[in-house]
Amino acid sequence: MDKARLHQDGKVGKRVFAHEIDNEPWWRQQKAPLVCPFCMTPVVSVRTTVGRAPRGALFRLAADRAHDDVCPLNPDEVLKKIARGSHGVATMVEDELHLVLPSDLGQIDVDPPAVDVDPAAPPADPFGVDVATVRPLLPPVINSAVVIARFLHRHGYDADVVAQFKVRRDGEKTVMNWGEFCHGPSAGDLARLREEIGDGGQSRHPVAVYARVTAIERDKQQRPVLHFADGVGFTVRIRSNHPSLLDPLSVGDFVLAVGTWKVWVPTRGRPELQMFAEEHWQLAHWTYDDVTRCSGPPHCPPPLSLAQRTLRQARTAPAAPVPKKPGASPSARRPGGQPAAAAARRSAQPPAAKPFPVPPAPPAISTQPFPAPERPAAAAVPAPVAPEPVMSAPPALPPRPPLPPAPLLPPEPVRPAVPARPARRRWWAFGRRG
């Protein structure tokens, strides 16, 4: 617990806080009796421990003591209350609360049953242990995780109280401790998460980080960036492509961020443990007063608008494949030392225009007139046959004598080769013409 009350002479005195324990106040030196801030159960103060598992100062129940049944810090009653309001995602197993975590981040965003609650009405739960306290309504898994984180914060993350909360992934029988799902708020918890992810990796299942905002920065596009306490050799930030998800938060707020965390290693600077928020239910935040040690009601950013969702779908849609031109790869080279890209550009030039094919000539049309219709021929009259004249054969001529052979011509003399005369070039007043 982070606070207690003095109990002297049968009367309840003022409140004392855990951050005063390490300074050895008078009530600790005099061993003044202390009780729970909400019931009459005795508690004791424990200083900050340093070592392999450091823990801050806190108030712990006295030996063999338990909170009253009506006390909001009674783990047994709070566990049962969370299970009743979780819509089935949290179940009681003996004295432990098992939170069923979906294996996929997209399965978390389910519409919870409608609850008839006036958003303008003040919260009816002054201790922050009700499940339906976050507006707009969050998925049951996130809402239950918010209540558990706030409840453990009030107990100072006491090991005995933390051991009563377990997490189980959907479809698996093995349960894991709460610290394996929700990391923080100490720097050692975030360092273990960074070691589990590794450089350049990301979480295999949704992970929650519970931390406090130390600064709000701006990226190159002037979008807000939440900066948490740095670890040893790395930074912790939450980014988003939608500024409306991070604008409602301010410095000093506690945040429970659920999503896929990864380690980004820049070329310069330290590695960054980061998460990109895409939905409003990934960020639940509330205020905390360091003086009174009281926290305000939890809230979450407004949901994304239709225009923001459309823009996100257009940004995450896969690009259409660009058809590749046929030919060799850009890295290949052709014989002669010329790159294939230059050859491809030459081949891409339009070919020379070809002459249009000449259509075949139409069939010739006869210019002769149509033949006259045939008429019946008259009866043929045989003509008189004249006798052929008898001719005598001509006398035979004597044979011609053979021609004499042609005289031989002298060989043509060989002319010497004359070198070709260079083409005459004509010059123009403004340069060579041709």
Side-chain angles (χ1 to χ4, degrees):
M1 294 179 291
D2 60 349
K3 64 177 71 70
R5 295 183 298 175
L6 296 174
H7 186 252
Q8 295 176 330
D9 300 331
K11 297 181 180 180
V12 177
K14 66 176 183 178
R15 292 186 177 185
V16 293
F17 301 97
H19 66 89
E20 304 175 7
I21 297 177
D22 293 336
N23 298 329
E24 292 293 334
W26 66 268
W27 47 265
R28 179 177 171 83
Q29 296 178 359
Q30 298 180 8
K31 298 182 179 181
L34 305 173
V35 294
C36 173
F38 304 109
C39 65
M40 298 301 296
T41 305
V43 298
V44 294
S45 59
V46 181
R47 296 189 61 181
T48 300
T49 59
V50 180
R52 180 173 300 179
R55 183 185 64 244
L58 53 85
F59 295 101
R60 179 178 294 173
L61 291 176
D64 301 331
R65 293 292 184 137
H67 291 279
D68 298 341
D69 294 341
V70 296
C71 181
L73 297 182
N74 187 346
D76 297 335
E77 294 298 324
V78 173
L79 266 60
K80 295 178 182 178
K81 194 170 185 179
I82 295 176
R84 289 193 300 266
S86 64
H87 305 292
V89 299
T91 58
M92 289 293 300
V93 179
E94 296 180 355
D95 58 343
E96 297 178 348
L97 180 69
H98 289 192
L99 182 64
V100 180
L101 181 67
S103 57
D104 187 9
L105 185 65
Q107 299 176 1
I108 297 180
D109 188 13
V110 295
D111 295 332
V115 181
D116 187 11
V117 180
D118 185 9
D125 176 31
F127 307 108
V129 296
D130 284 345
V131 176
T133 56
V134 181
R135 282 290 177 178
L137 292 179
L138 293 177
V141 174
I142 307 300
N143 221 341
S144 301
V146 170
V147 178
I148 295 173
R150 288 163 58 88
F151 178 74
L152 295 178
H153 181 81
R154 288 184 175 86
H155 280 273
Y157 278 82
D158 189 356
D160 296 336
V161 181
V162 175
Q164 295 185 262
F165 295 92
K166 304 291 182 181
V167 178
R168 177 173 57 86
R169 287 193 287 270
D170 190 16
E172 298 182 5
K173 296 182 179 180
T174 305
V175 297
M176 56 183 177
N177 297 326
W178 176 258
E180 299 179 35
F181 163 68
C182 184
H183 301 265
S186 64
D189 296 335
L190 299 178
R192 285 191 294 271
L193 176 59
R194 184 200 177 284
E195 293 177 0
E196 293 176 3
I197 296 177
D199 293 342
Q202 64 180 14
S203 56
R204 294 174 295 178
H205 56 83
V207 172
V209 169
Y210 173 54
R212 196 172 190 179
V213 181
T214 58
I216 297 181
E217 305 169 349
R218 296 284 174 176
D219 60 4
K220 296 181 179 179
Q221 288 76 25
Q222 297 300 317
R223 294 174 300 192
V225 178
L226 302 184
H227 186 191
F228 295 154
D230 293 338
V232 179
F234 68 97
T235 59
V236 185
R237 290 184 175 91
I238 293 181
R239 302 176 181 270
S240 180
N241 295 320
H242 310 289
S244 61
L245 297 180
L246 304 182
D247 285 337
L249 286 83
S250 57
V251 177
D253 291 353
F254 275 95
V255 181
L256 181 71
V258 182
T260 302
W261 288 80
K262 63 180 181 180
V263 177
W264 174 59
V265 182
T267 55
R268 295 182 180 180
R270 295 181 296 177
E272 179 177 321
L273 179 64
Q274 63 176 217
M275 186 196 82
F276 270 83
E278 296 291 341
E279 297 290 346
H280 74 283
W281 49 263
Q282 293 183 258
L283 300 173
H285 59 96
W286 56 91
T287 59
Y288 186 77
D289 192 350
D290 294 327
V291 177
T292 61
R293 297 289 173 170
C294 295
S295 58
H299 302 278
C300 65
L304 297 180
S305 62
L306 180 59
Q308 290 175 320
R309 294 186 180 276
T310 304
L311 180 61
R312 183 181 62 182
Q313 293 177 0
R315 187 178 63 251
T316 58
V322 179
K324 296 183 179 179
K325 296 182 179 180
S329 61
S331 59
R333 287 181 173 269
R334 295 189 175 184
Q338 295 182 356
R345 287 194 297 269
R346 289 196 299 271
S347 62
Q349 296 178 357
K354 296 182 179 180
F356 291 99
V358 179
I365 302 176
S366 176
T367 58
Q368 297 181 358
F370 293 99
E374 296 182 357
R375 297 181 180 179
V381 178
V385 179
E388 295 182 0
V390 179
M391 297 180 67
S392 62
L397 297 177
R400 293 181 180 182
L403 296 176
L408 297 177
L409 299 177
E412 185 177 358
V414 180
R415 298 180 180 180
V418 179
R421 183 179 180 181
R424 184 178 179 182
R425 300 181 181 273
R426 292 178 298 176
W427 294 87
W428 195 246
F430 299 99
R432 188 172 58 184
R433 184 175 182 181

